[in-house]
Each structure stands twice: as structure tokens, then as C-alpha cells.
Amino acid sequence: MRRGCCFGGTTLHTLKLATLPSLSPSSRFVLNPITPVFRSPRAPLRFSPIGRALSSAPAVQPAAPSSSKVATKTISDDQLAKPQWNASIDFKWIRDNKDAVATNIKNRNSNADLELVLELYTKMLEIQKEVERLRGERNVVANKMKGKLEPSERQKLIEEGKNLKEGLLTLEEDLLKLTDELQQEAQCIPNMTHPDVPIGDEDSSTIRKKVGSPHDFSFPIKDHLQLGKELNLFDFDAAAKVSGSKFYYLKNEAVMLEMALTNWTVFEVIKRGFTPLTTPEIVRSSVVEKCGFQPRGENTQVYSIEGSDHCLIGTAEIPVGGIHMDSILANSQLPLKYVASSHCFRTEAGAAGTATRGLYRVHQFSKVEMFVLCQPEESDSYHEELIRIEEELFTSLGLHFKILDMATADLGAPAYRKFDVEAWMPGLGRYGEISSASNCTDYQSRRLGIRYRPSEPPSSTPKKGKGNIPTQFVHTLNATACAIPRMIVCILENYQQEDGSIVIPKPLRPFMGGLERITPKSQ
């Protein structure tokens, strides 16, 4: 059975934090990487959110736990048992829409093995049918045993029942193993893709909109590293000695700037109807997986904690996505709109070069994330709302940026569609990604087990009684309101002055005690 399927998109490495036995001299923290994953199905021809592949039709999952209940598989005593969980996948829809799913897998450069999934599904149906047949025969034998029988005939039935029981146990074990393998393979299938998404790699992404224009400088410009050094705003050398490369200390006004960006962003998003949250920054690895990241594997971006089933979050999307896990929401509760402030941790495996220097790509950073749970028919409009909020925030800070409709090969597995925002960073001499907004349809909710009960049953299948209204999976969306380090890069580089000072954008000044500019300490 193939494990570790590649889910495209953000890969959140494995931080192995050994558990500390109380005050033991040998206790220590070990940092090692882990790998995130992204995948899902949803349909272009408006099939259904995560494309019926994980559709509202009942999923065939014999002898398996419900959508996101966790069952623990026993391993050797010195090994941590791996949690097992099942997504609510509509295998029949995948089989019936094989060509569309295959094309989607190809367009997204996914390594999901559709043929294997269909082969396993067929085998599962065959074994399931045989199990039902043997159960029926066992019941017939049991009923015969209730009547008056000759001793020889009773003994014959006892032997027949024993053989049926043994055969049934073997088949049921095979069915459980096959179901688990089918789940593991099917969970690698990415979400279906919005029909308007450009097909191809990142270069095929299209520009939806450009906002503002680059600042005009009449003097030689500096990058944020040089500005930060001259203004004594951060220290990478000391952080490298303490924690390693790609860590940093913020100092002086940079600390105030980080806090101002966080508070200003949260307040602005709250005005737009979002509920503020701070989140756990350590979560169960199963929750990371259900949100579309693979917490263990090569080149992962997730830090996992050695000796436990926990990981550090790479984005608040993960704990916010899990807040309603395994629940049925009332129709009146939707939409649920959250804005979460958290620290984020990423291994940034494979990241190197001048394009990632300084604050642009680091292992730990602060971020403000927006997250929406809504009814399926509303997710497209909320996706537009999220990118509009991002545009308003970045425009009010006076940034020049472009909004991209990302191509299929650049989509993470959960994303049905993704818009990226890239801002001009004059010191780096290029555009750099500062935000993204993704519509994940029901990819995550099918894995997290988040449903809602509509007010009225679908018109196509009217049923009497409120209790008979079938539940549906919600759609989830996420968007970065402010990735603090990259926003600091933008502000320092775009607002630098000839005298070496930095002008603070007006919206942030009230959150910095009225400070209007950062000046060289000699001044």
C-alpha cells in the first residue's frame, strides 16, 4: 500500500520535541521535520464542492469509523500508534466521473493513483457482497438450530456454522484492511477545480487586478535587511546562535510595528463581521491531515513533536478549521466568520537563495488569518468577499500589488480556487506573495466531519418531519489578512526616506502610540 501521497500546495517539516520526563538530566528537545499534504475532490461542471468525490451522497465505508472519528492502531510498545480516520468520500461519484477526476489530477500535477482507488473500490464492493452473503447463510443456519433436530443433523449445522463464522471473520478482517487502504489512496485525490482556473503551472496564473503603482524613489533604495540593520530593528545573527538560521529577533520600533499590524488588522476585520480568536498552536496530527497537510514525510513544512501525536501549526487555518470538528451546525449559525491571530511554524524545507533572505521566509512568524464556514451555494461569494477585504487592507496601507488567479498546478489539494496577492517590494526588486485566499469547498469539512442541517429538505427529495432533513457538509474558506514579517518588509522598503527613516502608514499610527516615523538612532 502506498503511503505519503503528495498533496500539492503548502507543505507545513517535523519538529521533534521529545517529551520531558520530569527534571530528568537526559531530557531534551529534538527538532526534526514533518510533511504536509493537500488534496480533495470537487467538480468543475458544478458537480459539487469538493466535487462529489467527497459528495453529499452516502459514502461507502463498511466497518469503518465515521467521518472524522479517530481509531488507534496498535503498534509495538516503543512506537507511537498512528491515528486512523476516514474522510466521507463518495467513491461511487469518483467511479462515475472517472474521466473528469483523471483530468483534474493531471492538471494539478497530483500523484494520486486513480486507477488504484477504483481497483480497491471494486474489490471492496466484491468482498462486501460476499460478507453479506455469508452473514445471510449464517442466519439461516442459526434459525435451523432453533428447531428440533437429530443429534447428527445438529452437529452438522454446528460445524457448518463454525465454518461460516471463521470464513466471515477472515473476510471482515480483509474488508477492514482494504477499506483502510482505499481511504489512504482516495485521500490523495485533490479537490476538483473551478472551471475558470487557468490550467498549467504557476506561470499560467492570470492577473485579476493591479492596485496602485510602485513608489517613486529619487535616491538609491535599500532592502529591508540593510534598513533593519541601520535602524536597529532586528537581529538575525543572535537568533541564529540561539535557534538556528531563519529565526530572528525583532527590536525597538519593529516590535511596536508587529503589534500594530496585528491589532489594526484584527480590528479592521472585526468591523466586517468576523469573530476574533486566538488559537492553540499545538494540535493533533490528525487535525493537520484533515485540513490537507501531511504532517509526516519528506520535505514537509510541519514541525511535529517527537513521542506524541502533536504538531506545531503552520497556519491558524488548522486549529480554526478544527473548532467545529465532528459537529452538526444549525442552518441559522451559518455563515461562521473568524479572524485568528497566532504564531506559525514552518520548516521551509528546500527554501534557499537570495529571494528568501531576511524576513521573507522564516521558521516562526505571526499571522492574522480569516476563516469562513458557510453553505455550499455561498462559498463563491465569500471567496470574493475575502479577497476584497485583503484588497481593502493592503490598499489602505498604500501598497502596490497584484491579485492572481492561481493556475491548477499551483493549487494545494484542498483548494477549489485560490487567489494570491503579490506586493511590490522595491528593496528586493520584485513582487512577493503577501497573502492568499482559498475556497476549499467541502474538502476539509468532509475530513473534519463538519455538517449543517438545512432549514428545509432539498426540493428533489421532500420528506416529512424536521428530523428527516438530511445534513450537508459546509464549505470552508481561508485567507491571510496579514502575514506580519512580509508586511514589515513591504512597509520598510516602500516607506523608506532619503534620510534613512521610515514613514509609518497613517492607519497604523494610532496603534503605535502616534509614532509617525522610525528614525536612525543617531538622530
Side-chain angles (χ1 to χ4, degrees), residues 83-295:
Q84 300 295 310
W85 54 274
N86 288 325
S88 182
I89 300 176
D90 188 346
F91 297 108
K92 182 178 183 298
W93 186 92
I94 295 176
R95 183 189 63 188
D96 294 346
N97 295 273
K98 175 182 175 181
D99 291 343
V101 175
T103 299
N104 186 59
I105 289 173
K106 179 182 178 181
N107 289 343
R108 295 172 74 124
N109 282 352
S110 167
N111 72 341
D113 192 337
L114 178 59
E115 291 301 328
L116 179 57
V117 169
L118 296 176
E119 179 185 338
L120 292 171
Y121 177 53
T122 300
K123 288 181 180 178
M124 186 190 73
L125 292 178
E126 292 172 353
I127 295 178
Q128 193 175 26
K129 187 175 181 180
E130 183 63 13
V131 165
E132 292 303 317
R133 186 186 68 78
L134 290 182
R135 285 174 180 169
E137 289 187 11
R138 184 186 59 182
N139 291 338
V140 170
V141 170
N143 288 331
K144 287 182 179 178
M145 293 280 288
K146 294 177 183 178
K148 285 187 177 182
L149 299 170
E150 295 293 329
S152 59
E153 189 176 351
R154 181 174 294 277
Q155 185 58 38
K156 182 179 177 182
L157 289 175
I158 290 174
E159 289 298 322
E160 186 178 352
K162 181 180 177 182
N163 291 335
L164 285 171
K165 181 180 179 181
E166 291 175 352
L168 191 56
L169 284 173
T170 299
L171 276 180
E172 287 175 337
E173 288 178 3
D174 291 343
L175 186 58
L176 281 172
K177 292 177 182 177
L178 189 58
T179 300
D180 179 60
E181 185 176 358
L182 176 57
Q183 271 285 328
Q184 294 297 319
E185 293 297 335
Q187 286 170 18
C188 292
I189 296 176
N191 202 346
M192 298 301 284
T193 308
H194 190 288
D196 293 340
V197 170
I199 297 174
D201 56 20
E202 186 177 359
D203 294 337
S204 301
S205 301
T206 58
I207 298 176
R208 297 187 88 215
K209 188 175 185 179
K210 275 194 175 184
V211 177
S213 56
H215 287 234
D216 187 20
F217 296 96
S218 59
F219 56 88
I221 58 176
K222 305 169 184 177
D223 66 14
H224 73 283
L225 280 169
Q226 186 176 354
L227 291 165
K229 183 178 181 180
E230 293 176 357
L231 295 169
N232 195 22
L233 297 179
F234 29 76
D235 192 332
F236 286 93
D237 294 336
K241 294 175 184 177
V242 172
S243 303
S245 63
K246 294 189 182 296
F247 287 93
Y248 58 95
Y249 285 98
L250 291 183
K251 301 168 65 177
N252 300 311
E253 293 91 344
V255 177
M256 299 168 62
L257 184 54
E258 170 167 310
M259 296 172 70
L261 281 165
T262 300
N263 290 329
W264 171 74
T265 303
V266 170
F267 280 120
E268 285 297 316
V269 178
I270 287 175
K271 290 179 187 177
R272 293 161 171 83
F274 286 68
T275 300
L277 293 175
T278 59
T279 72
E281 293 172 357
I282 295 178
V283 298
R284 299 182 188 279
S285 59
S286 58
V287 178
V288 178
E289 292 172 352
K290 292 172 186 179
C291 287
F293 299 88
Q294 183 181 349

Side-chain angles (χ1 to χ4, degrees), residues 19 91 110 140 190 200 234 237 274 323-324 347 359 383 393 447 459 490 500 522:
T19 308
F91 297 108
S110 167
V140 170
F234 29 76
D237 294 336
F274 286 68
I323 197 171
H324 294 291
T347 65
L359 290 173
H383 196 198
L393 293 175
R447 300 156 73 97
S459 56
C490 287
S522 59

